[in-house]
Amino acid sequence: MSETLAEWETRPAKIAWAPKTFAITFSKSPVAGEGPVLASILVGVTLVFLLLFLVLPLAVVFYEAFANGFAVYWEALNAPDARSAIWLTLTVAAIAVPLNIVFGLAAAWAIAKFRFAGKSFLITLIDLPFSVSPVVAGLIYVLLFGAQGLFGPWLKAHDIEIIFAVPGIVLATIFVTFPFVARELIALMEDQGTGDEEVALSLGASGVATFFRVTLPNIKWALLYGVLLCNARAMGEFGAVSVVSGHIRGLTNTMPLHVEILYNEYNITAAFAVASLLALLALVTLVAKTLLETRFKDALPGKSRGH
Amino acid sequence: MSLAIRRQSILPGFGLTLGYTLVYLGVIVLLPLAVLVLRASSLGLAGLWDIATEPRILAALRTSFSLALAAAAINVIFGGIVAWVLARYDFPGRRLLDAAVDLPFALPTAVAGIALAAIYAPNGWIGALIAPLGWKIAYTPLGIVVALVFIGLPFIVRTVQPVILELEQDVEEASATLGAARMQTLVRVILPTLAPALLTGFALAFARGVGEYGSVIFIAGNLPFVSEIAPLLIIVKLEQFDYAGATAIATLMLAASFLILLTINLIQAWSRRRMGHV
């Protein structure tokens, strides 16, 4: 990959160039670039702002979790309600994430490998859950399956519980994590085109073999990237799940909901102990995501990232 | 599918994958949203208006929209500076900070909520610092703004940062050699180029802020007419079995997010026309 001169000039200097002492490296252009005073102000504002809004919140979670020692921390995580919340969160993610993977693969195959009318409208619809408030996402399932909902009476007659039960939590989780895998794969597979698959097919490979031996290896890093983000949201979702769960301890309480219950009971240490597991999940997700972005940049869609 | 007019391709599986996509999309997303719209339309426009103008609901909507607007504006300024510094400068820890910008995407909102509440509560790390000055952040509308700034930050940075990286520096050099001071170049040359990205980021952060629930409720205090946000009021209405009220608020919020989505698309179309790229 060749770099244009502009890219070379505007990208930050390599770390290796920086002296061992604290130093700010900025524009290498002799005429354009902020002077040392303005530069220091800008960097200072950035550091203070990120310290306030990123570092402190993360630090306070672990500080509060261990405020009363490791034994108390361990006890909080080992409490039966905490354990069932952890188990439910893992279960919900284990159902919701694979379903969204299958959907993401199907949607990306149809959208990226074929041309058809209404494609961009379909992509907009797939992205729709990102612009719906989590609480509204929960509400729509209550309106559909709740006691006063559209299918409420029918479900009651057949003794099926969805709202205030695990199926509702799974549905709400699927909704809020719906676009993650699909949007990564659609973007990448549209870039990749259909050449590789056409070669495989014309050499006599079956459609299924082509998918598993040509397409899947081509998209595996983007798939993993989408799954990471999807899983983090699935395990951490609060608003949508809160509406449909009913907060029944030991039964329909996921980890984020359990954090809320403990916090509202002024059981602050236990709340932060459970929260620290979720924060750890976030950190692992961020590290894995950053690794993928730096190591496999070419295997990920090249568009600017959001979400 | 009759609506799908596809060009000849030797690749298999179009019908199967598109069919599955449409069914799954329909069942998970479109049908539930349609039920919401159906419920709302049974209230009628007048009924919707009556509910929306109930003082408590009106206050909650005003709180949600105005504070999300304020937080997005703060983020445009500070998130813009963060994006500029991360893209243009280098210093020890820059890559770490760059990765950390995505924390609000990755950290569950409930965790962010209790963490921010703990920091800004009167006995918290920052709350205790400002308490002697008579300032209070947690359990006031200011606390809501803090939570929404946290949630919105990555939207601005991740929208603006790639555009900064793609800027051609010759333009800045030309501006400088023509005698512009650096501030003039920043404000009159660079800022207009970044405007579409800043606006898009602003709209994304605003949209997210209006609907945000988890990170806000712990720090907000949730006092009706003062610090009660619209998503919380939906839950309150549901708990009172006031389905019509919950539906009306949800419909208004849904309509607002579609409007914002439309605006973002218009901004991007405008930017493409003006710049030849996004």
Side-chain angles (χ1 to χ4, degrees):
Chain A
M1 288 237 307
S2 68
E3 270 171 323
T4 67
L5 192 60
E7 271 171 333
W8 172 252
E9 279 178 349
T10 51
R11 74 173 192 175
K14 282 213 173 68
I15 297 276
W17 294 1
K20 288 254 157 48
T21 51
F22 184 87
I24 300 167
T25 323
F26 46 98
S27 171
K28 278 170 276 145
S29 163
V31 287
E34 290 86 49
V37 177
L38 185 55
S40 307
I41 293 174
L42 289 177
V43 174
V45 167
T46 298
L47 291 179
V48 171
F49 190 74
L50 295 186
L51 178 80
L52 275 179
F53 282 95
L54 299 179
V55 181
L56 283 189
L58 202 56
V60 84
V61 171
F62 291 99
Y63 176 83
E64 294 280 350
F66 289 105
N68 295 322
F70 189 77
V72 179
Y73 176 80
W74 187 246
E75 203 180 309
L77 292 185
N78 232 345
D81 286 346
R83 283 166 60 162
S84 73
I86 294 170
W87 183 243
L88 181 60
T89 290
L90 293 175
T91 310
V92 169
I95 302 170
V97 175
L99 283 173
N100 278 340
I101 292 175
V102 173
F103 163 71
L105 287 168
W109 183 268
I111 290 171
K113 301 288 183 193
F114 299 90
R115 288 175 167 221
F116 55 92
K119 189 193 266 194
S120 58
F121 183 60
L122 184 57
I123 296 177
T124 309
L125 289 182
I126 289 174
D127 270 339
L128 202 58
F130 276 158
S131 36
V132 174
S133 166
V135 172
V136 177
L139 172 72
I140 57 179
Y141 288 106
V142 174
L143 294 180
L144 205 54
F145 300 119
Q148 297 187 40
L150 193 61
F151 299 130
W154 187 87
L155 290 169
K156 198 166 168 57
H158 291 78
D159 225 10
I160 305 171
E161 282 192 318
I162 292 184
I163 299 304
F164 302 153
V166 176
I169 298 177
V170 172
L171 276 173
T173 305
I174 293 177
F175 183 95
V176 293
T177 58
F178 190 83
F180 280 108
V181 177
R183 61 152 42 189
E184 291 300 327
L185 293 185
I186 292 169
L188 180 72
M189 283 163 73
E190 280 195 324
D191 287 350
Q192 286 177 343
T194 54
D196 289 0
E197 283 81 5
E198 280 162 6
V199 169
L201 287 166
S202 50
L203 289 175
S206 72
V208 175
T210 303
F211 175 77
F212 280 104
R213 300 183 57 182
V214 176
T215 309
L216 208 53
N218 273 344
I219 60 171
K220 61 183 173 197
W221 297 120
L223 179 62
L224 183 61
Y225 191 92
V227 169
L228 268 175
L229 301 183
C230 180
N231 180 65
R233 181 72 192 268
M235 290 190 172
E237 178 52 29
F238 177 70
V241 168
S242 173
V243 176
V244 296
S245 125
H247 303 88
I248 307 163
R249 288 179 88 132
L251 282 179
T252 63
N253 234 7
T254 62
M255 285 168 80
L257 297 180
H258 195 54
V259 168
E260 182 194 25
I261 287 188
L262 292 170
Y263 189 83
N264 287 343
E265 288 172 348
Y266 298 102
N267 198 345
I268 303 297
T269 310
F272 277 101
V274 178
S276 75
L277 287 187
L278 290 167
L280 208 61
L281 167 77
L283 285 178
V284 170
T285 305
L286 277 189
V287 169
K289 174 177 170 296
T290 310
L291 272 179
L292 281 177
E293 280 168 2
T294 45
R295 298 279 300 274
F296 302 104
K297 201 170 179 233
D298 297 339
L300 297 175
K303 293 179 182 156
S304 64
R305 328 211 127 267
H307 301 284
Chain B
M1 304 303 299
S2 57
L3 91 164
I5 313 143
R6 84 177 151 114
R7 220 172 59 170
Q8 279 306 308
S9 163
I10 64 158
L11 266 57
F14 177 69
L16 180 74
T17 52
L18 185 67
Y20 183 74
T21 301
L22 293 176
V23 169
Y24 192 77
L25 179 73
V27 170
I28 299 290
V29 179
L30 300 183
L31 175 70
L33 282 175
V35 171
L36 175 72
V37 176
L38 210 73
R39 279 257 183 168
S41 62
S42 74
L43 295 171
L45 224 51
L48 215 59
W49 178 255
D50 281 349
I51 296 173
T53 48
E54 270 175 35
R56 187 173 170 189
I57 295 179
L58 202 60
L61 287 169
R62 196 181 294 136
T63 304
S64 275
F65 280 92
S66 63
L67 297 183
L69 214 58
I74 293 173
N75 262 331
V76 162
I77 298 169
F78 289 98
I81 293 176
V82 169
W84 181 260
V85 168
L86 289 179
R88 281 289 173 95
Y89 291 73
D90 202 5
F91 47 89
R94 182 191 66 84
R95 287 165 58 116
L96 196 68
L97 282 184
D98 195 359
V101 165
D102 284 325
L103 183 72
F105 284 151
L107 194 68
T109 53
V111 179
I114 64 169
L116 291 171
I119 294 171
Y120 291 95
N123 59 352
W125 289 348
I126 293 178
L129 277 182
I130 57 167
L133 304 170
W135 292 356
K136 213 169 159 239
I137 293 181
Y139 319 126
T140 72
L142 221 53
I144 301 179
V145 175
V146 167
L148 296 182
V149 169
F150 171 84
I151 283 298
L153 173 68
F155 288 94
I156 307 273
V157 177
R158 293 301 183 233
T159 315
V160 178
Q161 199 179 7
V163 183
I164 296 175
L165 284 171
E166 276 180 17
L167 286 180
E168 307 273 349
Q169 219 167 356
D170 348 356
V171 185
E172 294 163 44
E173 288 176 355
S175 164
T177 42
L178 290 172
R182 185 59 183 164
M183 262 332 246
Q184 278 178 304
T185 308
L186 282 177
V187 172
R188 300 185 60 174
V189 178
I190 294 171
L191 202 58
T193 325
L194 298 183
L198 283 167
L199 269 175
T200 304
F202 175 84
L204 287 170
F206 175 57
R208 175 68 199 260
V210 169
E212 180 56 23
Y213 173 71
S215 61
V216 173
I217 53 161
F218 295 99
I219 200 174
N222 305 324
L223 206 62
F225 297 101
V226 179
S227 56
E228 186 176 58
I229 54 167
L232 176 66
L233 197 51
I234 292 181
I235 289 183
V236 171
K237 293 279 173 196
L238 267 182
E239 280 167 357
Q240 298 166 344
F241 300 103
D242 179 3
Y243 282 50
T247 304
I249 306 171
T251 310
L252 288 172
M253 291 178 56
L254 202 63
S257 50
F258 287 161
L259 268 179
I260 299 169
L261 205 66
L262 189 72
T263 313
I264 294 171
N265 285 336
L266 289 177
I267 294 170
Q268 283 178 341
W270 165 64
S271 139
R272 256 194 301 275
R273 256 201 323 275
R274 205 172 63 134
M275 315 276 186
H277 64 85
V278 184

